[in-house]
Amino acid sequence: MELVVDSGVKKMEGEAMRKNQTLICAPIMADSVDRMLILMQKAKISGADLVEVRVDSLKSFNPRSDIDTLIKQCPLPTLFTYRPTWEGGQYAGDEKSRLDALRLAMELGADYVDVELKAIGEFNNALHGNKSAKCKLIVSSHNYESTPSAEDLGNLVARIQASGADIVKFATTAQDITDVARVFQITVHSQVRGVPIIAMVMGEKGLMSRILCPKFGGYLTFGTLEVGKVSAPGQPTVEDLLNLYNFRQLGPDTKIFGIIGKPVSHSKSPLLYNESFRSVGFNGVFMHLLVDDIANFFRTYSSLDFAGFSCTIPHKEAALDCCAEIDPTAKAIGAVNCIIRRPDGKLFGCNTDYIGAISAIEEGLQGSQPSISGSPLAGKLFVVIGAGGAGKAIAYGAKEKGARVVIANRTYERARELAIVVGAEALSLDELSNFHPENDMILANTTSIGMQPKVDDTPISKEALKHYSLVFDAVYTPKITRLLREAQESGAKIVTGVEMFIGQAYEQYERFTGLPAPKELFKNIMSTY
């Protein structure tokens, strides 16, 4: 698959820097030709290789003059799609007019046209064998409900190929992130057989399929020009493909890393790790992984290519059972937030949460009264909100530093269970606002209360915050939560989740790469959050 002009792909500046031949296609959806031409220029500037002209988005359409204008004035190669409503598009007119327009695009010099598998017979009959040599025919199938079995996908590819397609395209929908594995399997198989293929899994759980096209041999991926303005669910932006995921640098030997969570799209981990990988030339990519069942995820993605993972809510405790070996501290905490696949394929789990949080809190307290033990936490009353994985880690770390620990949780029973393990006191969250046996206490929120989009939520009343000398919040989207804002107004020092996030990432980066963590770079990357 070479990038040459007569294949419909114009040479791009800096092409020599590319490590793969996979193209980025920007869908152009607008209600007028003039607006489409503006978006085409934007696609060129953004770094896309070609544009998909979604004719079905036009409010008025004069086929001959409009297609001619769009082809001649587009600064990039063109793919024409005229998607009917029965295949998820906007066109509700008669089939003959629709297919005539696609044939006209082929005649007038389009580089690609996309025809649905259900319509390809009628399209081919009307061509009478007069297919343009320049124009590549993409034959597509879209499943907006699910992702079929590998056998059914293989049969679908065979049917599309038999229809006369130059390029096979199918898009399915992810019910679970493990659905993507079957699409990767088909993509690799098709590449081995020399069949150019575009294979996407729609939805947030299918994001991996769009980013990893170059690794598994996909012909192209789609990247939208603006956040939220997508032609199919789950599309990343062209900017994110190029600048966040280092798309041009991905290849068959790229190692895959990611953050496993639910929800997970808010995480800044891909930004932190991918920029750090790029800075040292490390051949890896880090992604959001929206996972329902972590055990099923690891059973499915068991190859050495899936090399390392951060783990967040709600999977930190379940991750323990997935690891063949667990660091003693993580075992004591009862939660894992970093997982490494060893060369033998087995998983090793550890916990870097407590290091990141406790060191950030200690730093925040420095200059208060230094303690004899060396930690400013020694002897302090330390209240932890939450009894999940992060709560366990921070309670364990605080206890280890000599603090007197109290666990507050919505469910008292869970607080009590953790308190027994750690050697702490337990409260229900409802009791916390009236709990102030002394002043100068430390408060650490380890729950998602106050996280975007519920930024007006807080776990404790402002009135109660006057009894605390320092308040920490593990939430870092937003950086200053309502809890932290009210704590600051009440006179307490605050430590943000960003500081914990950076601290816990140091060790993870070193385990992922075998290289020393670029600490200043981490701080610079996160300084705007």
Side-chain angles (χ1 to χ4, degrees):
M1 229 182 292
E2 294 184 4
L3 282 176
V4 290
V5 174
D6 62 4
S7 73
V9 180
K10 297 173 185 173
K11 296 260 183 190
M12 301 295 294
E13 287 181 13
E15 185 180 304
M17 301 302 291
R18 295 171 74 140
K19 290 188 179 177
N20 65 69
Q21 304 292 304
T22 302
L23 308 175
I24 297 176
C25 180
I28 303 295
M29 300 183 74
D31 58 11
S32 71
V33 170
D34 287 345
R35 177 64 182 154
M36 281 190 166
L37 293 173
I38 292 168
L39 292 174
M40 287 172 170
Q41 294 295 334
K42 186 174 180 180
K44 167 77 172 174
I45 293 165
S46 75
D49 296 300
L50 70 155
V51 297
E52 179 188 33
V53 183
R54 284 293 298 267
V55 180
D56 52 302
S57 69
L58 289 169
K59 280 191 175 170
S60 65
F61 178 47
N62 183 322
R64 182 164 291 276
S65 63
D66 289 348
I67 291 172
D68 190 53
T69 298
L70 288 163
I71 292 172
K72 284 180 177 172
Q73 294 192 32
C74 185
L76 292 170
T78 53
L79 156 58
F80 275 78
T81 299
Y82 202 176
R83 193 75 73 216
T85 52
W86 49 261
E87 190 90 357
Q90 299 179 35
Y91 177 76
D94 69 282
E95 274 296 274
K96 184 178 184 308
S97 299
R98 188 177 76 85
L99 297 178
D100 282 349
L102 289 171
R103 282 195 297 275
L104 187 58
M106 190 177 265
E107 289 169 20
L108 292 174
D111 299 280
Y112 305 84
V113 297
D114 180 324
V115 181
E116 299 75 21
L117 179 60
K118 292 174 187 174
I120 194 60
E122 187 180 342
F123 183 83
N124 284 336
N125 289 339
L127 275 180
H128 304 299
N130 296 322
K131 179 181 174 293
S132 161
K134 174 184 185 283
C135 186
K136 302 284 187 188
L137 176 60
I138 299 171
V139 179
S140 62
S141 173
H142 300 78
N143 183 329
Y144 292 94
E145 302 298 323
S146 63
T147 299
S149 67
E151 183 181 359
D152 286 348
L153 288 174
N155 292 335
L156 174 63
V157 169
R159 286 204 310 279
I160 294 175
Q161 195 180 6
S163 74
D166 296 311
I167 299 167
V168 171
K169 177 189 173 188
F170 70 84
T172 66
T173 299
Q175 301 290 344
D176 189 90
I177 196 169
T178 56
D179 293 343
V180 180
R182 300 195 290 283
V183 172
F184 286 154
Q185 182 184 338
I186 297 298
T187 306
V188 170
H189 183 63
S190 297
Q191 187 192 35
V192 169
R193 291 171 52 232
V195 180
I197 189 166
I198 302 164
M200 300 291 152
V201 188
M202 296 181 282
E204 189 182 347
K205 292 172 185 174
L207 177 65
M208 194 164 42
S209 72
R210 299 179 179 278
I211 296 167
L212 295 178
C213 285
K215 180 172 176 64
F216 294 104
Y219 187 79
L220 66 75
T221 195
F222 292 90
T224 185
L225 294 175
E226 296 178 52
V227 177
K229 293 191 176 178
V230 299
S231 61
Q235 277 176 3
T237 61
V238 174
E239 183 181 0
D240 278 354
L241 286 170
L242 291 173
N243 300 325
L244 174 58
Y245 298 113
N246 306 328
F247 188 84
R248 301 291 194 213
Q249 305 305 308
L250 308 185
D253 55 348
T254 298
K255 294 293 185 185
I256 301 165
F257 301 86
I259 178 160
I260 295 169
K262 185 181 180 182
V264 76
S265 62
H266 65 281
S267 173
K268 304 298 182 194
S269 292
L271 176 73
L272 188 74
Y273 291 112
N274 287 326
E275 191 165 331
S276 301
F277 291 169
R278 182 169 58 233
S279 74
V280 295
F282 179 77
N283 190 10
V285 61
F286 194 103
M287 296 172 295
H288 296 110
L289 302 169
L290 179 58
V291 172
D292 293 318
D293 181 334
I294 191 170
N296 191 33
F297 174 85
F298 283 125
R299 279 193 298 271
T300 304
Y301 298 104
S302 58
S303 80
L304 295 178
D305 280 350
F306 290 83
F309 308 90
S310 303
C311 189
T312 189
I313 295 169
H315 299 304
K316 294 183 183 189
E317 292 155 284
L320 283 167
D321 296 329
C322 301
C323 298
E325 184 186 346
I326 301 162
D327 175 83
T329 302
K331 191 175 283 188
I333 293 168
V336 159
N337 79 315
C338 179
I339 300 166
I340 305 298
R341 194 179 301 281
R342 300 187 310 201
D344 63 1
K346 292 181 178 177
L347 299 174
F348 166 79
C350 59
N351 193 304
T352 66
D353 273 339
Y354 81 103
I355 299 168
I358 296 300
S359 60
I361 291 167
E362 283 184 321
E363 201 171 308
L365 284 172
Q366 293 302 341
S368 303
Q369 310 85 12
S371 64
I372 297 167
S373 75
S375 171
L377 286 174
K380 290 277 189 181
L381 191 59
F382 193 111
V383 179
V384 178
I385 301 175
K392 287 181 177 180
I394 292 173
Y396 176 92
K399 188 73 176 177
E400 195 179 54
K401 294 290 186 177
R404 296 169 290 134
V405 177
V406 175
I407 314 291
N409 195 59
R410 275 181 179 149
T411 310
Y412 173 75
E413 195 51 42
R414 285 208 70 188
R416 191 167 134 331
E417 286 170 11
L418 177 55
I420 291 168
V421 172
V422 174
E425 188 180 337
L427 295 173
S428 72
L429 192 54
D430 290 340
E431 296 175 273
L432 187 57
S433 287
N434 295 317
F435 177 79
H436 40 82
E438 60 188 73
N439 290 320
D440 294 328
M441 300 186 291
I442 310 293
L443 181 68
N445 174 43
T446 70
T447 72
S448 59
I449 297 170
M451 187 171 81
Q452 285 176 351
K454 297 182 178 180
V455 294
D456 293 327
D457 291 355
T458 184
I460 186 172
S461 69
K462 183 177 181 179
E463 175 64 20
L465 291 172
K466 66 185 180 186
H467 301 286
Y468 294 89
S469 58
L470 183 143
V471 175
F472 161 79
D473 199 337
V475 171
Y476 65 88
T477 51
K479 179 177 180 178
I480 303 297
T481 58
R482 179 182 167 189
L483 171 65
L484 292 184
R485 186 178 67 251
E486 292 183 345
Q488 207 164 27
E489 290 167 358
S490 302
K493 292 183 178 180
I494 62 167
V495 176
T496 73
V498 171
E499 291 157 83
M500 172 190 173
F501 174 70
I502 293 171
Q504 62 83 35
Y506 292 152
E507 185 180 341
Q508 291 201 31
Y509 177 90
E510 292 177 356
R511 289 185 180 275
F512 290 159
T513 65
L515 302 169
K519 295 185 177 181
E520 286 308 310
L521 179 61
F522 276 20
K523 289 174 183 173
N524 290 340
I525 292 168
M526 297 306 297
S527 63
T528 55
Y529 294 95

mmCIF file of all heavy atoms in Angstrom, residues 82 98 160 196 231 257 337 361 376 416 442 450 468 473 489 502:
data_model
loop_
_atom_site.group_PDB
_atom_site.id
_atom_site.type_symbol
_atom_site.label_atom_id
_atom_site.label_comp_id
_atom_site.label_asym_id
_atom_site.label_seq_id
_atom_site.Cartn_x
_atom_site.Cartn_y
_atom_site.Cartn_z
ATOM 1 N N TYR A 82 -22.765 8.930 -0.453
ATOM 2 C CA TYR A 82 -24.129 9.476 -0.538
ATOM 3 C C TYR A 82 -25.000 8.514 0.257
ATOM 4 O O TYR A 82 -25.725 7.707 -0.283
ATOM 5 C CB TYR A 82 -24.558 9.538 -2.006
ATOM 6 C CG TYR A 82 -25.669 10.510 -2.339
ATOM 7 C CD1 TYR A 82 -26.063 10.700 -3.667
ATOM 8 C CD2 TYR A 82 -26.324 11.253 -1.359
ATOM 9 C CE1 TYR A 82 -27.076 11.585 -4.013
ATOM 10 C CE2 TYR A 82 -27.341 12.146 -1.681
ATOM 11 C CZ TYR A 82 -27.711 12.303 -3.019
ATOM 12 O OH TYR A 82 -28.716 13.186 -3.354
ATOM 13 N N ARG A 98 -29.577 8.584 -6.516
ATOM 14 C CA ARG A 98 -28.421 8.468 -5.598
ATOM 15 C C ARG A 98 -27.252 7.775 -6.289
ATOM 16 O O ARG A 98 -26.120 8.273 -6.284
ATOM 17 C CB ARG A 98 -28.839 7.693 -4.348
ATOM 18 C CG ARG A 98 -27.791 7.663 -3.248
ATOM 19 C CD ARG A 98 -28.309 6.935 -2.026
ATOM 20 N NE ARG A 98 -28.310 5.491 -2.196
ATOM 21 C CZ ARG A 98 -27.258 4.707 -1.966
ATOM 22 N NH1 ARG A 98 -26.121 5.236 -1.540
ATOM 23 N NH2 ARG A 98 -27.329 3.396 -2.137
ATOM 24 N N ILE A 160 -18.177 -8.852 0.222
ATOM 25 C CA ILE A 160 -17.832 -7.513 -0.262
ATOM 26 C C ILE A 160 -16.756 -7.606 -1.339
ATOM 27 O O ILE A 160 -16.841 -6.960 -2.388
ATOM 28 C CB ILE A 160 -17.375 -6.614 0.901
ATOM 29 C CG1 ILE A 160 -18.534 -6.352 1.874
ATOM 30 C CG2 ILE A 160 -16.817 -5.293 0.377
ATOM 31 C CD1 ILE A 160 -18.145 -5.579 3.127
ATOM 32 N N PRO A 196 -7.144 -4.716 0.587
ATOM 33 C CA PRO A 196 -7.217 -3.429 1.313
ATOM 34 C C PRO A 196 -8.531 -3.367 2.095
ATOM 35 O O PRO A 196 -9.599 -3.646 1.550
ATOM 36 C CB PRO A 196 -7.194 -2.385 0.193
ATOM 37 C CG PRO A 196 -6.671 -3.096 -1.010
ATOM 38 C CD PRO A 196 -7.107 -4.517 -0.867
ATOM 39 N N SER A 231 -19.292 11.793 11.830
ATOM 40 C CA SER A 231 -20.148 11.135 10.840
ATOM 41 C C SER A 231 -20.530 9.735 11.295
ATOM 42 O O SER A 231 -21.362 9.089 10.685
ATOM 43 C CB SER A 231 -19.444 11.085 9.482
ATOM 44 O OG SER A 231 -18.246 10.337 9.567
ATOM 45 N N PHE A 257 -0.619 0.468 25.340
ATOM 46 C CA PHE A 257 -0.848 0.751 26.755
ATOM 47 C C PHE A 257 -2.197 1.459 26.874
ATOM 48 O O PHE A 257 -2.715 1.992 25.893
ATOM 49 C CB PHE A 257 0.249 1.656 27.318
ATOM 50 C CG PHE A 257 1.634 1.089 27.194
ATOM 51 C CD1 PHE A 257 2.375 1.266 26.028
ATOM 52 C CD2 PHE A 257 2.199 0.368 28.232
ATOM 53 C CE1 PHE A 257 3.655 0.733 25.899
ATOM 54 C CE2 PHE A 257 3.478 -0.170 28.121
ATOM 55 C CZ PHE A 257 4.207 0.010 26.945
ATOM 56 N N ASN A 337 -3.370 -0.477 40.707
ATOM 57 C CA ASN A 337 -3.653 0.582 39.730
ATOM 58 C C ASN A 337 -2.655 0.607 38.582
ATOM 59 O O ASN A 337 -2.733 1.455 37.710
ATOM 60 C CB ASN A 337 -3.682 1.963 40.408
ATOM 61 C CG ASN A 337 -2.293 2.515 40.661
ATOM 62 O OD1 ASN A 337 -1.414 1.796 41.128
ATOM 63 N ND2 ASN A 337 -2.092 3.784 40.366
ATOM 64 N N ILE A 361 0.521 15.052 49.539
ATOM 65 C CA ILE A 361 -0.030 15.590 50.796
ATOM 66 C C ILE A 361 1.107 16.003 51.745
ATOM 67 O O ILE A 361 1.060 17.066 52.368
ATOM 68 C CB ILE A 361 -0.972 14.557 51.462
ATOM 69 C CG1 ILE A 361 -2.240 14.395 50.609
ATOM 70 C CG2 ILE A 361 -1.331 14.987 52.887
ATOM 71 C CD1 ILE A 361 -3.095 13.204 50.985
ATOM 72 N N PRO A 376 5.327 14.660 58.128
ATOM 73 C CA PRO A 376 4.407 15.607 58.771
ATOM 74 C C PRO A 376 3.032 15.001 59.029
ATOM 75 O O PRO A 376 2.201 15.606 59.688
ATOM 76 C CB PRO A 376 4.326 16.756 57.761
ATOM 77 C CG PRO A 376 4.706 16.170 56.452
ATOM 78 C CD PRO A 376 5.690 15.078 56.763
ATOM 79 N N ARG A 416 -16.332 0.180 57.440
ATOM 80 C CA ARG A 416 -15.943 -0.649 58.576
ATOM 81 C C ARG A 416 -15.000 -1.775 58.172
ATOM 82 O O ARG A 416 -14.018 -2.078 58.852
ATOM 83 C CB ARG A 416 -17.211 -1.218 59.221
ATOM 84 C CG ARG A 416 -16.990 -1.883 60.581
ATOM 85 C CD ARG A 416 -18.314 -2.120 61.258
ATOM 86 N NE ARG A 416 -18.633 -3.344 61.863
ATOM 87 C CZ ARG A 416 -18.239 -4.591 61.612
ATOM 88 N NH1 ARG A 416 -17.425 -4.820 60.703
ATOM 89 N NH2 ARG A 416 -18.643 -5.613 62.237
ATOM 90 N N ILE A 442 -6.608 16.251 58.559
ATOM 91 C CA ILE A 442 -6.344 16.127 57.117
ATOM 92 C C ILE A 442 -7.561 15.427 56.496
ATOM 93 O O ILE A 442 -8.076 14.450 57.057
ATOM 94 C CB ILE A 442 -5.096 15.255 56.836
ATOM 95 C CG1 ILE A 442 -3.905 15.707 57.670
ATOM 96 C CG2 ILE A 442 -4.770 15.238 55.340
ATOM 97 C CD1 ILE A 442 -3.370 17.053 57.327
ATOM 98 N N GLY A 450 -17.905 15.222 42.698
ATOM 99 C CA GLY A 450 -17.373 16.506 42.245
ATOM 100 C C GLY A 450 -16.674 16.460 40.900
ATOM 101 O O GLY A 450 -16.242 17.489 40.381
ATOM 102 N N TYR A 468 -10.192 21.451 59.260
ATOM 103 C CA TYR A 468 -9.103 20.762 58.547
ATOM 104 C C TYR A 468 -7.995 21.746 58.169
ATOM 105 O O TYR A 468 -8.267 22.870 57.736
ATOM 106 C CB TYR A 468 -9.641 20.084 57.273
ATOM 107 C CG TYR A 468 -10.605 18.961 57.576
ATOM 108 C CD1 TYR A 468 -11.972 19.203 57.717
ATOM 109 C CD2 TYR A 468 -10.146 17.658 57.740
ATOM 110 C CE1 TYR A 468 -12.861 18.176 58.012
ATOM 111 C CE2 TYR A 468 -11.028 16.620 58.033
ATOM 112 C CZ TYR A 468 -12.376 16.885 58.167
ATOM 113 O OH TYR A 468 -13.245 15.866 58.458
ATOM 114 N N ASP A 473 -8.051 16.291 47.135
ATOM 115 C CA ASP A 473 -9.108 15.689 46.321
ATOM 116 C C ASP A 473 -8.464 14.918 45.181
ATOM 117 O O ASP A 473 -7.699 15.476 44.384
ATOM 118 C CB ASP A 473 -10.039 16.775 45.756
ATOM 119 C CG ASP A 473 -11.386 16.204 45.299
ATOM 120 O OD1 ASP A 473 -11.445 15.003 45.015
ATOM 121 O OD2 ASP A 473 -12.368 16.975 45.231
ATOM 122 N N GLU A 489 -11.355 28.546 50.772
ATOM 123 C CA GLU A 489 -12.104 29.665 51.353
ATOM 124 C C GLU A 489 -12.199 29.538 52.871
ATOM 125 O O GLU A 489 -12.331 30.536 53.596
ATOM 126 C CB GLU A 489 -13.505 29.730 50.742
ATOM 127 C CG GLU A 489 -13.505 30.176 49.276
ATOM 128 C CD GLU A 489 -14.836 29.943 48.582
ATOM 129 O OE1 GLU A 489 -15.768 29.393 49.225
ATOM 130 O OE2 GLU A 489 -14.962 30.284 47.389
ATOM 131 N N ILE A 502 0.301 13.128 38.840
ATOM 132 C CA ILE A 502 1.697 13.188 38.381
ATOM 133 C C ILE A 502 2.577 12.259 39.226
ATOM 134 O O ILE A 502 3.388 11.501 38.695
ATOM 135 C CB ILE A 502 2.228 14.634 38.438
ATOM 136 C CG1 ILE A 502 1.493 15.508 37.406
ATOM 137 C CG2 ILE A 502 3.732 14.677 38.195
ATOM 138 C CD1 ILE A 502 1.787 16.990 37.535
#
